[in-house]
Amino acid sequence: MLTGKNILLGISGGIAAYKTPQLVRLLKKSGADVQVLATESAVRFVSELSLSTVSGRPVLTDIFSADGNGHDNARTMHITLGEWADALVIAPATANTLAKLAAGMCDDMLSLCFLTLRPGKPVLVAPAMDGHMYDSPSVQRNLAMLKAQGCRMMEPESGSLASGQCGLGRMPEPETIFEALTEMLASPEASALCGKTVIVTAGPTREKIDDVRFLSNYSSGKMGFAIAAEAARRGATVRLVTGPVSLPTPPGVERLDVESAVEMLDAAQPFFDACDLFIGAAAVADYRPETPAEGKIKKNDAEMEIRLVRNPDILATFATGRKPGQLAVGFALETAGGLDYARKKLVDKQLDLVAFNIYDGRTTGFEVDTNALTLLARDGNVTELPLLSKEEAAGKLLDAIEPLLRR
Ligand code: CTP
């Protein structure tokens, strides 16, 4: 199943490390070449000799360790490995290693290769630690950051822990990790997005009132960033045109930062011709102040008026001017009114698909991590998705777009 695949297996220092030779065996048996990257703590839990014997390669731990493997010399081996690998699996991932990866620190071969891995290559992480540690805000923050970067997180399993307690925190069994990796490696080849060029707009826009004030909305950009990350993971070339948000750029994605709707159109338009798919996930302000004031407007009267003018519609500009074969997908966020508004948007803006979501401000809408989408296709097909994480919702949206790209 994994014939010809090169897998980096990162092992950090938790008791579950003793199970990793079994994971190496499964990977090798299915035809993969495996390079183990173990932290110094990991090799206190599992012997280097076992790992090098089952993998057929020396275990790499220290950045400066000599290379007996004929890869390259030790100084550049991390770069060679980043190119060589088709995937990186980190199992078990301890709290310490998660923190290092989230912060971009790189003081051992595992954390270093995490940075040199080529954009878009799958990273599968199996955290394992005591349940209280797993639930701590710091670990949860690091997990969320890595997830936002496109890493696939496996849920730890429940059972008896090394502490003698029972609870969440066990590393999934090697067979489960192996299956998750096989699935991840299978999807990019099957994806219709592989080799396609995609533009995603995300986040809010800011429309200047004067030099210190603006009109905007609460969009966090999370949905658009999740779509961009997933499209890149499936092998697309992705340009993400985003309003001001505080999210890390997903791996392998080209990011263009803008402020206003006019800037968003100006940044995206040069790429319209060459793109196969445009996904408008940005919450673009429909209006902007007609003439932003220079400096700071002083308060004078009890009331003031700001004259607003319509902004260009970026999605509609793309959709109405596109060439045959190019796809246009939009979002419709409604507080009420249901599917009919979304359907009208599909027709008015000449879209192929609209992702409709009701804003409830708690589980769906801006700044939250979940979303419940209903997908309306031009052919009348309606797919109602359950409440999902924005990453999962992005996956389902792209699953629905892929058959349209194949036509
Ligand atoms: N959109 C855009 N440019 C705009 C406005 C919206 O690209 N100037 C895109 C959004 O990214 C989204 C879709 O169009 O994909 C939303 O359509 P829109 O008509 O703006 O939705 P609402 O603002 O919710 O519509 P209305 O105000 O009419 O309810």
Side-chain angles (χ1 to χ4, degrees):
M1 273 179 290
L2 296 182
T3 308
K5 296 289 182 201
N6 298 327
I7 310 297
L8 289 174
L9 173 61
I11 306 174
S12 54
I15 180 62
Y18 84 89
K19 294 182 178 174
T20 53
Q22 172 64 5
L23 178 55
V24 177
R25 280 202 64 230
L26 290 169
L27 293 167
K28 292 284 289 181
K29 241 171 96 181
S30 77
D33 200 353
V34 182
Q35 173 63 63
V36 174
L37 312 168
T39 65
E40 278 186 9
S41 318
V43 294
R44 298 175 73 164
F45 287 99
V46 58
S47 100
E48 269 187 81
L49 185 59
S50 308
L51 289 166
S52 59
T53 306
V54 284
S55 68
R57 286 170 174 266
V59 172
L60 301 175
T61 303
D62 174 34
I63 298 173
F64 300 103
S65 60
D67 170 33
N69 208 20
H71 269 304
D72 207 311
N73 67 40
R75 272 177 301 138
T76 56
M77 196 179 2
H78 56 291
I79 298 167
T80 316
L81 286 173
E83 274 165 15
W84 171 83
D86 293 302
L88 168 63
V89 183
I90 305 171
T94 58
N96 187 49
T97 288
L98 291 172
K100 282 208 283 190
L101 300 184
M105 288 169 67
C106 46
D107 57 358
D108 54 29
M109 277 306 261
L110 166 49
S111 49
L112 196 55
C113 289
F114 176 70
L115 298 186
T116 60
L117 189 74
R118 286 297 171 266
K121 297 288 180 191
V123 179
L124 179 66
V125 183
M129 66 197 76
D130 167 73
H132 293 294
M133 284 173 75
Y134 183 73
D135 286 336
S136 79
S138 306
V139 170
Q140 287 300 317
R141 181 199 57 217
N142 292 333
L143 288 170
M145 280 176 74
L146 292 168
K147 235 176 174 176
Q149 278 177 233
C151 299
R152 177 78 59 93
M153 293 294 160
M154 296 190 75
E155 278 288 307
E157 292 180 355
S158 278
S160 54
L161 301 169
S163 59
Q165 296 183 347
C166 212
L168 192 75
R170 285 164 61 104
M171 186 178 85
E173 290 303 319
E175 288 75 10
T176 315
I177 299 172
F178 172 75
E179 273 166 29
L181 178 70
T182 316
E183 196 186 297
M184 279 178 88
L185 281 169
S187 53
E189 272 151 21
S191 173
L193 279 153
C194 195
K196 294 285 193 282
T197 302
V198 181
I199 299 174
V200 182
T201 64
T205 62
R206 285 181 181 174
E207 310 299 334
K208 262 179 93 165
I209 296 172
D210 63 18
D211 284 344
V212 295
R213 303 179 180 96
F214 54 81
L215 293 175
S216 192
N217 56 64
Y218 290 112
S219 169
S220 63
K222 285 179 184 169
M223 193 64 234
F225 273 58
I227 294 168
E230 184 58 23
R233 205 185 67 73
R234 295 183 187 201
T237 300
V238 183
R239 283 196 183 87
L240 175 62
V241 188
T242 179
V245 295
S246 49
L247 293 172
T249 309
V253 167
E254 187 189 327
R255 170 175 177 165
L256 305 164
D257 285 287
V258 298
E259 288 231 337
S260 66
V262 169
E263 284 175 23
M264 191 171 269
L265 179 63
D266 288 347
Q269 209 160 20
F271 303 106
F272 279 4
D273 257 5
C275 99
D276 299 293
L277 166 65
F278 181 101
I279 304 180
V284 185
D286 292 323
Y287 295 90
R288 67 176 184 277
E290 185 174 34
T291 344
E294 272 181 33
K296 184 178 170 221
I297 301 173
K298 296 299 287 177
K299 58 179 166 302
N300 288 316
D301 304 328
E303 292 177 5
M304 77 175 283
E305 283 182 7
I306 300 172
R307 191 178 158 71
L308 303 178
V309 291
R310 278 296 287 270
N311 263 331
D313 192 310
I314 302 156
L315 175 61
T317 308
F318 171 80
T320 52
R322 68 187 146 147
K323 296 178 294 193
Q326 292 184 306
L327 293 185
V329 174
F331 274 76
L333 179 76
E334 307 289 352
T335 45
L339 284 179
D340 287 344
Y341 286 120
R343 215 167 263 127
K344 185 167 168 357
K345 240 162 250 182
L346 183 83
V347 175
D348 289 352
K349 299 199 190 193
Q350 301 180 23
L351 307 178
D352 298 285
L353 193 122
V354 158
F356 158 70
N357 59 314
I358 291 233
Y359 173 86
D360 74 6
R362 282 177 305 106
T363 56
T364 61
F366 299 141
E367 288 175 325
V368 294
D369 291 326
T370 47
N371 211 350
L373 299 177
T374 299
L375 308 180
L376 306 181
R378 196 209 281 255
D379 62 7
N381 215 344
V382 179
T383 313
E384 207 171 315
L385 300 175
L387 187 69
L388 296 170
S389 71
K390 286 189 173 168
E391 287 77 19
E392 288 166 329
K396 296 286 181 201
L397 173 65
L398 293 179
D399 287 348
I401 293 171
E402 286 203 19
L404 307 176
L405 273 172
R406 287 202 176 92
R407 278 184 199 160

mmCIF file of all heavy atoms in Angstrom, residues 201 261 278 280-286 311-316 329-334 345 349, ligand 1:
data_model
loop_
_atom_site.group_PDB
_atom_site.id
_atom_site.type_symbol
_atom_site.label_atom_id
_atom_site.label_comp_id
_atom_site.label_asym_id
_atom_site.label_seq_id
_atom_site.Cartn_x
_atom_site.Cartn_y
_atom_site.Cartn_z
ATOM 1 N N THR A 201 -10.557 33.663 -0.818
ATOM 2 C CA THR A 201 -10.557 34.913 -0.053
ATOM 3 C C THR A 201 -11.016 34.591 1.363
ATOM 4 O O THR A 201 -11.805 33.664 1.563
ATOM 5 C CB THR A 201 -11.495 35.982 -0.660
ATOM 6 O OG1 THR A 201 -12.851 35.513 -0.590
ATOM 7 C CG2 THR A 201 -11.128 36.306 -2.091
ATOM 8 N N ALA A 261 -11.932 46.011 0.661
ATOM 9 C CA ALA A 261 -12.512 45.216 -0.428
ATOM 10 C C ALA A 261 -11.847 45.560 -1.762
ATOM 11 O O ALA A 261 -11.561 44.669 -2.576
ATOM 12 C CB ALA A 261 -14.014 45.484 -0.508
ATOM 13 N N PHE A 278 -12.329 29.480 -7.710
ATOM 14 C CA PHE A 278 -12.321 30.653 -6.817
ATOM 15 C C PHE A 278 -13.298 30.375 -5.691
ATOM 16 O O PHE A 278 -14.469 30.049 -5.934
ATOM 17 C CB PHE A 278 -12.753 31.900 -7.596
ATOM 18 C CG PHE A 278 -12.764 33.171 -6.772
ATOM 19 C CD1 PHE A 278 -11.723 34.092 -6.857
ATOM 20 C CD2 PHE A 278 -13.818 33.453 -5.909
ATOM 21 C CE1 PHE A 278 -11.729 35.250 -6.098
ATOM 22 C CE2 PHE A 278 -13.834 34.612 -5.147
ATOM 23 C CZ PHE A 278 -12.787 35.517 -5.242
ATOM 24 N N GLY A 280 -14.900 32.180 -2.469
ATOM 25 C CA GLY A 280 -15.054 33.436 -1.723
ATOM 26 C C GLY A 280 -15.523 33.137 -0.304
ATOM 27 O O GLY A 280 -16.716 32.950 -0.070
ATOM 28 N N ALA A 281 -14.571 33.061 0.625
ATOM 29 C CA ALA A 281 -14.936 32.823 2.024
ATOM 30 C C ALA A 281 -14.791 34.096 2.844
ATOM 31 O O ALA A 281 -15.045 34.089 4.048
ATOM 32 C CB ALA A 281 -14.069 31.710 2.609
ATOM 33 N N ALA A 282 -14.356 35.185 2.201
ATOM 34 C CA ALA A 282 -14.171 36.438 2.945
ATOM 35 C C ALA A 282 -15.520 37.062 3.257
ATOM 36 O O ALA A 282 -16.484 36.916 2.505
ATOM 37 C CB ALA A 282 -13.330 37.408 2.113
ATOM 38 N N ALA A 283 -15.568 37.753 4.392
ATOM 39 C CA ALA A 283 -16.749 38.547 4.737
ATOM 40 C C ALA A 283 -16.447 39.970 4.273
ATOM 41 O O ALA A 283 -15.930 40.793 5.035
ATOM 42 C CB ALA A 283 -17.000 38.492 6.228
ATOM 43 N N VAL A 284 -16.687 40.192 2.996
ATOM 44 C CA VAL A 284 -16.321 41.482 2.386
ATOM 45 C C VAL A 284 -17.379 42.520 2.757
ATOM 46 O O VAL A 284 -18.579 42.245 2.647
ATOM 47 C CB VAL A 284 -16.263 41.336 0.845
ATOM 48 C CG1 VAL A 284 -15.760 42.623 0.206
ATOM 49 C CG2 VAL A 284 -15.384 40.152 0.444
ATOM 50 N N ALA A 285 -16.926 43.673 3.189
ATOM 51 C CA ALA A 285 -17.887 44.738 3.512
ATOM 52 C C ALA A 285 -18.598 45.147 2.228
ATOM 53 O O ALA A 285 -17.958 45.367 1.198
ATOM 54 C CB ALA A 285 -17.158 45.925 4.117
ATOM 55 N N ASP A 286 -19.925 45.222 2.294
ATOM 56 C CA ASP A 286 -20.679 45.583 1.095
ATOM 57 C C ASP A 286 -20.516 47.057 0.739
ATOM 58 O O ASP A 286 -20.658 47.446 -0.411
ATOM 59 C CB ASP A 286 -22.170 45.272 1.309
ATOM 60 C CG ASP A 286 -22.416 43.764 1.387
ATOM 61 O OD1 ASP A 286 -21.742 43.027 0.643
ATOM 62 O OD2 ASP A 286 -23.249 43.325 2.208
ATOM 63 N N ASN A 311 -19.184 48.554 -2.465
ATOM 64 C CA ASN A 311 -17.890 47.973 -2.806
ATOM 65 C C ASN A 311 -18.036 47.068 -4.020
ATOM 66 O O ASN A 311 -19.131 46.557 -4.278
ATOM 67 C CB ASN A 311 -17.382 47.135 -1.619
ATOM 68 C CG ASN A 311 -16.420 47.911 -0.756
ATOM 69 O OD1 ASN A 311 -15.720 48.800 -1.235
ATOM 70 N ND2 ASN A 311 -16.391 47.589 0.520
ATOM 71 N N PRO A 312 -16.947 46.826 -4.727
ATOM 72 C CA PRO A 312 -17.040 45.841 -5.816
ATOM 73 C C PRO A 312 -17.308 44.461 -5.224
ATOM 74 O O PRO A 312 -16.872 44.162 -4.114
ATOM 75 C CB PRO A 312 -15.647 45.883 -6.454
ATOM 76 C CG PRO A 312 -14.746 46.428 -5.399
ATOM 77 C CD PRO A 312 -15.597 47.356 -4.569
ATOM 78 N N ASP A 313 -18.044 43.637 -5.934
ATOM 79 C CA ASP A 313 -18.271 42.256 -5.489
ATOM 80 C C ASP A 313 -17.190 41.386 -6.126
ATOM 81 O O ASP A 313 -17.182 41.168 -7.338
ATOM 82 C CB ASP A 313 -19.668 41.791 -5.894
ATOM 83 C CG ASP A 313 -20.026 40.489 -5.205
ATOM 84 O OD1 ASP A 313 -19.201 39.550 -5.259
ATOM 85 O OD2 ASP A 313 -21.111 40.411 -4.603
ATOM 86 N N ILE A 314 -16.273 40.905 -5.292
ATOM 87 C CA ILE A 314 -15.084 40.198 -5.803
ATOM 88 C C ILE A 314 -15.494 38.867 -6.428
ATOM 89 O O ILE A 314 -15.078 38.520 -7.529
ATOM 90 C CB ILE A 314 -14.074 39.989 -4.656
ATOM 91 C CG1 ILE A 314 -13.696 41.358 -4.076
ATOM 92 C CG2 ILE A 314 -12.825 39.266 -5.133
ATOM 93 C CD1 ILE A 314 -13.205 41.334 -2.671
ATOM 94 N N LEU A 315 -16.340 38.138 -5.708
ATOM 95 C CA LEU A 315 -16.799 36.830 -6.191
ATOM 96 C C LEU A 315 -17.573 36.979 -7.503
ATOM 97 O O LEU A 315 -17.327 36.255 -8.464
ATOM 98 C CB LEU A 315 -17.667 36.186 -5.105
ATOM 99 C CG LEU A 315 -18.348 34.873 -5.425
ATOM 100 C CD1 LEU A 315 -17.324 33.787 -5.742
ATOM 101 C CD2 LEU A 315 -19.223 34.428 -4.239
ATOM 102 N N ALA A 316 -18.492 37.952 -7.532
ATOM 103 C CA ALA A 316 -19.309 38.134 -8.743
ATOM 104 C C ALA A 316 -18.446 38.617 -9.904
ATOM 105 O O ALA A 316 -18.677 38.232 -11.060
ATOM 106 C CB ALA A 316 -20.444 39.113 -8.466
ATOM 107 N N VAL A 329 -17.237 29.492 -6.253
ATOM 108 C CA VAL A 329 -17.952 29.004 -5.066
ATOM 109 C C VAL A 329 -18.026 30.141 -4.045
ATOM 110 O O VAL A 329 -17.036 30.829 -3.794
ATOM 111 C CB VAL A 329 -17.204 27.793 -4.452
ATOM 112 C CG1 VAL A 329 -17.846 27.360 -3.139
ATOM 113 C CG2 VAL A 329 -17.179 26.631 -5.444
ATOM 114 N N GLY A 330 -19.210 30.327 -3.476
ATOM 115 C CA GLY A 330 -19.374 31.410 -2.505
ATOM 116 C C GLY A 330 -19.978 30.925 -1.210
ATOM 117 O O GLY A 330 -20.405 29.772 -1.082
ATOM 118 N N PHE A 331 -19.998 31.824 -0.254
ATOM 119 C CA PHE A 331 -20.634 31.555 1.036
ATOM 120 C C PHE A 331 -21.838 32.467 1.190
ATOM 121 O O PHE A 331 -21.853 33.572 0.663
ATOM 122 C CB PHE A 331 -19.650 31.818 2.192
ATOM 123 C CG PHE A 331 -18.788 30.637 2.492
ATOM 124 C CD1 PHE A 331 -17.728 30.320 1.663
ATOM 125 C CD2 PHE A 331 -19.045 29.819 3.579
ATOM 126 C CE1 PHE A 331 -16.932 29.224 1.916
ATOM 127 C CE2 PHE A 331 -18.264 28.720 3.856
ATOM 128 C CZ PHE A 331 -17.205 28.416 3.011
ATOM 129 N N ALA A 332 -22.820 32.000 1.893
ATOM 130 C CA ALA A 332 -23.965 32.843 2.222
ATOM 131 C C ALA A 332 -24.225 32.689 3.709
ATOM 132 O O ALA A 332 -24.617 31.618 4.162
ATOM 133 C CB ALA A 332 -25.179 32.411 1.417
ATOM 134 N N LEU A 333 -23.942 33.731 4.427
ATOM 135 C CA LEU A 333 -24.176 33.717 5.879
ATOM 136 C C LEU A 333 -25.466 34.474 6.125
ATOM 137 O O LEU A 333 -25.599 35.625 5.725
ATOM 138 C CB LEU A 333 -23.011 34.406 6.585
ATOM 139 C CG LEU A 333 -23.104 34.505 8.096
ATOM 140 C CD1 LEU A 333 -22.805 33.157 8.741
ATOM 141 C CD2 LEU A 333 -22.136 35.546 8.632
ATOM 142 N N GLU A 334 -26.418 33.822 6.740
ATOM 143 C CA GLU A 334 -27.710 34.465 6.971
ATOM 144 C C GLU A 334 -28.085 34.315 8.435
ATOM 145 O O GLU A 334 -27.876 33.258 9.027
ATOM 146 C CB GLU A 334 -28.818 33.798 6.125
ATOM 147 C CG GLU A 334 -28.516 33.689 4.641
ATOM 148 C CD GLU A 334 -28.552 35.022 3.923
ATOM 149 O OE1 GLU A 334 -28.964 36.029 4.531
ATOM 150 O OE2 GLU A 334 -28.131 35.066 2.755
ATOM 151 N N LYS A 345 -28.485 33.976 -4.222
ATOM 152 C CA LYS A 345 -27.078 34.347 -4.408
ATOM 153 C C LYS A 345 -26.418 33.481 -5.478
ATOM 154 O O LYS A 345 -25.654 33.962 -6.303
ATOM 155 C CB LYS A 345 -26.333 34.171 -3.074
ATOM 156 C CG LYS A 345 -25.718 35.458 -2.586
ATOM 157 C CD LYS A 345 -25.376 35.404 -1.137
ATOM 158 C CE LYS A 345 -26.327 36.325 -0.369
ATOM 159 N NZ LYS A 345 -26.049 36.381 1.045
ATOM 160 N N LYS A 349 -25.195 35.664 -8.594
ATOM 161 C CA LYS A 349 -23.747 35.796 -8.788
ATOM 162 C C LYS A 349 -23.202 34.755 -9.766
ATOM 163 O O LYS A 349 -21.995 34.664 -9.954
ATOM 164 C CB LYS A 349 -23.025 35.676 -7.438
ATOM 165 C CG LYS A 349 -23.422 36.761 -6.431
ATOM 166 C CD LYS A 349 -22.398 36.908 -5.330
ATOM 167 C CE LYS A 349 -22.939 37.820 -4.232
ATOM 168 N NZ LYS A 349 -21.930 38.258 -3.288
HETATM 169 N N1 CTP B 1 -18.470 38.629 -1.630
HETATM 170 C C1 CTP B 1 -17.457 39.191 -2.388
HETATM 171 N N2 CTP B 1 -17.377 40.543 -2.525
HETATM 172 C C2 CTP B 1 -18.272 41.352 -1.939
HETATM 173 C C3 CTP B 1 -19.312 40.798 -1.171
HETATM 174 C C4 CTP B 1 -19.370 39.435 -1.024
HETATM 175 O O1 CTP B 1 -16.626 38.455 -2.911
HETATM 176 N N3 CTP B 1 -18.178 42.666 -2.091
HETATM 177 C C5 CTP B 1 -18.582 37.177 -1.522
HETATM 178 C C6 CTP B 1 -18.286 36.617 -0.157
HETATM 179 O O2 CTP B 1 -16.943 36.226 -0.033
HETATM 180 C C7 CTP B 1 -19.233 35.426 -0.066
HETATM 181 C C8 CTP B 1 -20.430 35.914 -0.825
HETATM 182 O O3 CTP B 1 -19.932 36.854 -1.762
HETATM 183 O O4 CTP B 1 -18.729 34.305 -0.751
HETATM 184 C C9 CTP B 1 -21.430 36.539 0.085
HETATM 185 O O5 CTP B 1 -22.333 37.261 -0.661
HETATM 186 P P1 CTP B 1 -23.042 38.582 -0.134
HETATM 187 O O6 CTP B 1 -24.071 38.886 -1.122
HETATM 188 O O7 CTP B 1 -22.127 39.680 0.189
HETATM 189 O O8 CTP B 1 -23.562 38.077 1.195
HETATM 190 P P2 CTP B 1 -24.160 38.950 2.255
HETATM 191 O O9 CTP B 1 -23.346 40.161 2.541
HETATM 192 O O10 CTP B 1 -24.421 38.040 3.374
HETATM 193 O O11 CTP B 1 -25.466 39.364 1.434
HETATM 194 P P3 CTP B 1 -26.604 40.346 1.856
HETATM 195 O O12 CTP B 1 -25.876 41.504 2.460
HETATM 196 O O13 CTP B 1 -27.225 40.632 0.572
HETATM 197 O O14 CTP B 1 -27.421 39.550 2.792
#
